[in-house]
Amino acid sequence: MTEWILRLIEQGGYWGIAFLMFIENVFPPIPSEVIMGLGGIAVARGSMEFWPLLFIGTVGSTLGNYVWFLVGDRFGYRRLQPLVDRWGRWLTLEWEDIERASRFFRSHGQWVVFAMRFSPFLRTMISLPAGLAHMKHGKFLAFTFVGAAVWNAGLIQGGRWLSRYLAEAEVWLNALIIGSVIVALVAYAWRVVTWKPRS
């Protein structure tokens, strides 16, 4: 499976990476750790270059986060709340979760947008309260781009390091990728089935 995903990444090229990173931040089918990590392996193989990969992957990540920022910025609290109330089961969250994230954003300042780029679970979610708080678009994009660039650079370097042990670790990588997808799907299904509003 590792080789199959690597071939898809290499065939799609840099724009394929940008698209995967964009989709991952809107609705994560494959974690960015996998996408950019395998991109790092492609760099080690010589089929991609470090700086173009870093730039285009970061652009995709930034645009994906910008989608959620625009949802918060354009909809606002009044129009967003009915949507969350209606689709909360499938989103496995409710309006109180949005309010809690917004309070966290307001209390920690706009630098939290940069800091959350290093959090696997909160880096996309923080974009919504940033939009609800009507953070300046340019500042949001700058903080998101720089934070995502630092994170992606680490992932690429990790992939380059891992490529030296790919032959020995391929079985484990396959199991890890398949296992992570299965765990994510089971966890989501469990949350949907057992989710109940606090009210």
Side-chain angles (χ1 to χ4, degrees), residues 12-194:
Y14 298 112
W15 293 111
I17 290 281
F19 177 75
L20 287 174
M21 291 297 287
F22 172 80
I23 293 297
E24 186 270 337
N25 283 277
V26 176
F27 179 76
I30 303 175
S32 62
E33 289 81 1
V34 172
I35 299 167
M36 298 306 289
L38 291 177
I41 293 175
V43 170
R45 289 182 169 187
S47 56
M48 285 188 170
E49 297 292 331
F50 177 87
W51 291 109
L53 174 62
L54 176 61
F55 176 76
I56 205 71
T58 302
V59 167
S61 179
T62 302
L63 292 178
N65 279 280
Y66 194 48
V67 169
W68 286 111
F69 175 87
L70 288 175
V71 169
D73 185 60
R74 300 295 166 85
F75 274 73
Y77 284 95
R78 185 172 297 177
R79 285 192 291 173
L80 189 61
Q81 185 171 0
L83 293 177
V84 173
D85 291 340
R86 180 177 180 182
W87 301 103
R89 170 173 294 278
W90 302 105
L91 298 171
T92 65
L93 58 80
E94 56 185 307
W95 187 247
E96 187 174 328
D97 299 317
I98 303 295
E99 290 183 321
R100 185 184 297 114
S102 297
R103 287 195 298 269
F104 181 82
F105 174 83
R106 289 194 298 269
S107 63
H108 290 82
Q110 297 177 340
W111 279 97
V112 76
V113 172
F114 171 83
M116 287 299 103
R117 297 302 141 205
F118 308 101
S119 169
F121 303 107
L122 299 176
R123 61 173 173 254
T124 298
M125 181 175 285
I126 200 63
S127 301
L128 187 58
L132 288 170
H134 303 297
M135 181 178 179
K136 290 183 178 179
H137 291 234
K139 186 175 288 187
F140 173 82
L141 291 171
F143 283 6
T144 299
F145 186 90
V146 173
V150 174
W151 178 248
N152 289 338
L155 294 177
I156 295 170
Q157 286 297 101
R160 292 174 71 176
W161 174 82
L162 186 63
S163 67
R164 291 181 287 178
Y165 308 98
L166 185 60
E168 297 81 0
E170 188 165 2
V171 174
W172 296 104
L173 279 174
N174 288 334
L176 182 63
I177 293 171
I178 294 171
S180 64
V181 172
I182 291 173
V183 167
L185 291 174
V186 170
Y188 174 74
W190 176 258
R191 283 180 59 113
V192 169
V193 170
T194 61

